[in-house]
Amino acid sequence: MTITHNEHKFRCALLWWTLSAVIGLTVAVIAYAIGFWSLVAVIAGLVTFAVCGYVLTEGFCRSPDELNAERAEKAEIEARRAPYLAANAKAAANPPVSEKPGSKAPKPAARAPAPKAAPAPAPKKAAPKSAPAPEPKKAAPKPAPAPEPAPAPAPEAAKPEAAEVGKRPAALDAPRGGSADDLKRIKGVGPKLEKLCNRLGFYHFDQIAKWTDEEVAWVDENLEGFKGRVSRDDWVAQAKLLAEGGETAFSKRVDEGDVY
């Protein structure tokens, strides 16, 4: 009798979940024996059962065909992303002239020296008295010179803006026909990254499939929190296959509900 893929996975999962139940029961008995409350012991056993069952099932219930397909897919992605990594390295190694280290900002103009105050006149000698002379009138005090205004600070040199890496791809204001493609079928695009792509105007596989090396470099640089993900996971090759109606090993797992 031929055993299907789903039957194989079900039998494998049943085996490991049974073993996990034994492990969980053992943990609960040990916890109760060393003095824990019965409720705490039961919770500890249930948590152990759930964790062990999930880990063992995900680790051992995968068929050889799935493992070989995943290895082949990884090798193909590594080979295809090499040109994009080279484009990113080339853009980073040749920054604009305004950003190169060693460029000096213009020096501010030197302040002009303050003018020197004129020396005060020497006091005149009094004439010899033959008779009491009238007292000379005191000269009126000269007004103090107005303080020199402080020179205006020299304007700061405008900081050069960072050069944009690559070229921005064509974007859409909304998905065509009001329905966007499920970008999560591309390996490396999760729910959060799919929303970020939609905010940038990317909704369909055929948009991503047409990206050039310069456009890939731009998207790699502008994915906040996910820089380099496009070239690292080779989105373009995956999108081309999905846009033509094909499937990848990862997209099949997404369609079967095994990923999200």
Side-chain angles (χ1 to χ4, degrees):
M1 181 177 63
T2 304
I3 298 177
T4 64
H5 172 67
N6 290 334
E7 289 176 347
H8 171 76
K9 291 187 69 173
F10 176 76
R11 292 184 180 183
C12 179
L14 181 61
L15 170 64
W16 291 115
W17 279 106
T18 302
L19 179 60
S20 300
V22 174
I23 296 173
L25 180 61
T26 303
V27 170
V29 171
I30 293 174
Y32 182 75
I34 62 178
F36 285 96
W37 292 344
S38 57
L39 179 60
V40 175
V42 171
I43 293 174
L46 291 175
V47 170
T48 304
F49 164 68
V51 172
C52 290
Y54 177 79
V55 172
L56 293 174
T57 302
E58 288 297 319
F60 296 100
C61 291
R62 299 173 66 185
S63 66
D65 293 338
E66 289 179 338
L67 294 174
N68 292 334
E70 185 172 355
R71 292 192 191 99
E73 183 180 358
K74 287 182 179 179
E76 184 179 359
I77 288 174
E78 289 294 332
R80 290 181 177 178
R81 74 175 184 171
Y84 304 125
L85 294 176
N88 287 343
K90 183 178 179 181
N94 297 288
V97 177
S98 59
E99 291 186 349
K100 288 185 178 179
S103 58
K104 297 182 179 178
K107 294 182 179 179
R111 293 178 55 183
K116 295 182 179 179
K124 295 182 179 180
K125 293 182 179 180
K129 294 182 181 180
S130 58
E135 294 182 358
K137 294 182 180 180
K138 294 182 179 180
K142 294 182 179 180
E148 183 184 357
E156 294 184 0
K159 295 181 179 179
E161 296 183 358
E164 190 173 82
V165 176
K167 177 184 177 183
R168 180 186 176 95
L172 299 176
D173 294 333
R176 294 192 292 268
S179 177
D181 292 336
D182 185 4
L183 300 184
K184 296 189 298 298
R185 297 180 70 203
I186 298 176
K187 186 172 184 179
V189 181
K192 185 175 180 181
L193 194 49
E194 182 183 40
K195 293 180 181 178
L196 178 56
C197 288
N198 292 161
R199 286 203 301 270
L200 294 173
F202 311 134
Y203 299 93
H204 303 284
F205 296 131
D206 58 352
Q207 287 182 273
I208 300 174
K210 296 176 183 177
W211 287 350
T212 63
D213 291 352
E214 290 185 345
E215 292 171 339
V216 168
W218 185 94
V219 180
D220 266 340
E221 185 66 22
N222 288 273
L223 289 179
E224 299 178 5
F226 301 92
K227 290 187 177 182
R229 181 61 64 85
V230 180
S231 56
R232 185 163 59 249
D233 291 325
D234 196 6
W235 289 10
V236 175
Q238 296 184 66
K240 285 180 181 178
L241 184 59
L242 295 172
E244 294 171 356
E247 291 183 338
T248 64
F250 182 79
S251 67
K252 291 179 182 178
R253 292 178 58 196
V254 173
D255 295 339
E256 293 174 357
D258 292 342
V259 181
Y260 303 108

